[in-house]
Amino acid sequence: MLANTMSPIKEYRRGGIIHLQNEQCSSLDVILEGNIVIQRLDEAGKVLTVAAFAAGDTFGGNLLFADQNRFPMTVSASSDCVILHLDRQLLVYFCQKNQNFFMEFVRTISNKATLVSDKLNTVAMKSIRQQIIDFLAKESVLQGSFTIELHLSKKEWAENLGIPRPSLSRELKKMKEEGLIDYSRNWISIKDEDILAEL
């Protein structure tokens, strides 16, 4: 079905812009290879990474049929990537032809809405320390250890929290001085497990 359509498959280099903020959304984009990030840049230059997606994920579906169908944030490639841009008419056709496709499309839209809502609530309601503790708690469970291997840089971590990198470094230093954590470039160790009870 895709072979007989005009839906383009495009390659993007790392750091390349896929969609600019306020650009009209005209397709459901499917990541075939690589990774992308969705970020908001405010007037002060502060970057908030709202979401990151990898091969197999889709984006744009929640905007495609909206009255205000413009990207509220910038979408860029965090690695070299390949993306299928599935146009609106073809998407409607697939949904009509295949109920499983339709249900999966609706599910992904619902999941994306929940993800954005949770992200904005986290940024709005929690202090920097609470956000750090939240991150440590989740990673501790995922990695099964109180010594957590870091898979992202401090710059990326700060952008995920929507705060300046120096603010993150300052709070980590305070927590280390208080004996709550210890850390190096690639790991963080939870020294006082009681901080997890603050969640």
Side-chain angles (χ1 to χ4, degrees), residues 9-196:
I9 294 176
K10 294 184 179 179
E11 296 183 5
Y12 298 87
R13 303 293 292 175
R14 180 179 180 180
I17 301 297
I18 301 168
H19 296 293
L20 286 168
Q21 185 172 324
N22 294 322
E23 178 183 328
Q24 188 171 23
C25 177
S26 59
S27 64
L28 171 70
D29 295 343
V30 184
I31 306 170
L32 303 180
E33 297 177 20
N35 304 277
I36 66 103
V37 288
I38 299 176
Q39 298 176 315
R40 175 180 285 279
L41 180 66
D42 66 16
E43 294 178 355
K46 186 171 70 173
V47 176
L48 169 62
T49 298
V50 175
F53 298 115
D57 288 327
T58 65
F59 59 96
N62 56 322
L63 300 172
L64 194 53
F65 299 98
D67 292 334
Q68 299 294 327
N69 64 335
R70 296 185 180 276
F71 284 94
M73 303 170 199
T74 297
V75 182
S76 58
S78 54
S79 71
D80 292 349
C81 60
V82 180
I83 295 177
L84 165 67
H85 299 279
L86 195 62
D87 70 53
R88 177 172 166 162
Q89 287 184 327
L90 188 60
L91 180 63
V92 171
Y93 177 74
F94 283 172
C95 287
Q96 290 173 336
K97 285 290 184 179
N98 190 300
Q99 185 177 9
N100 289 335
F101 183 95
F102 172 72
M103 294 303 297
E104 182 66 13
F105 175 59
V106 172
R107 185 184 70 83
T108 57
I109 290 176
S110 300
N111 287 342
K112 296 290 191 304
T114 301
L115 182 150
V116 172
S117 177
D118 288 347
K119 180 75 174 184
L120 294 178
N121 284 337
T122 296
V123 172
M125 301 299 292
K126 293 187 177 182
S127 66
I128 295 174
R129 177 168 295 200
Q130 287 172 324
Q131 292 182 66
I132 291 172
I133 293 172
D134 188 46
F135 171 83
L136 295 177
K138 289 177 182 177
E139 287 298 317
S140 178
V141 171
L142 288 173
Q143 298 185 29
S145 172
F146 288 112
T147 298
I148 297 157
E149 185 179 354
L150 294 175
H151 301 291
L152 72 174
S153 67
K154 289 220 174 51
K155 177 178 181 293
E156 292 170 327
W157 190 3
E159 288 178 355
N160 283 338
L161 298 180
I163 60 175
R165 179 178 172 178
S167 298
L168 174 63
S169 296
R170 242 187 336 265
E171 192 59 39
L172 287 172
K173 184 179 179 182
K174 286 181 185 176
M175 293 175 72
K176 182 175 181 177
E177 290 172 349
E178 294 172 20
L180 304 178
I181 62 171
D182 191 13
Y183 62 88
S184 72
R185 181 177 180 180
N186 300 315
W187 56 266
I188 294 182
S189 181
I190 301 172
K191 293 298 185 182
D192 185 350
E193 298 171 19
D194 289 340
I195 64 172
L196 302 183

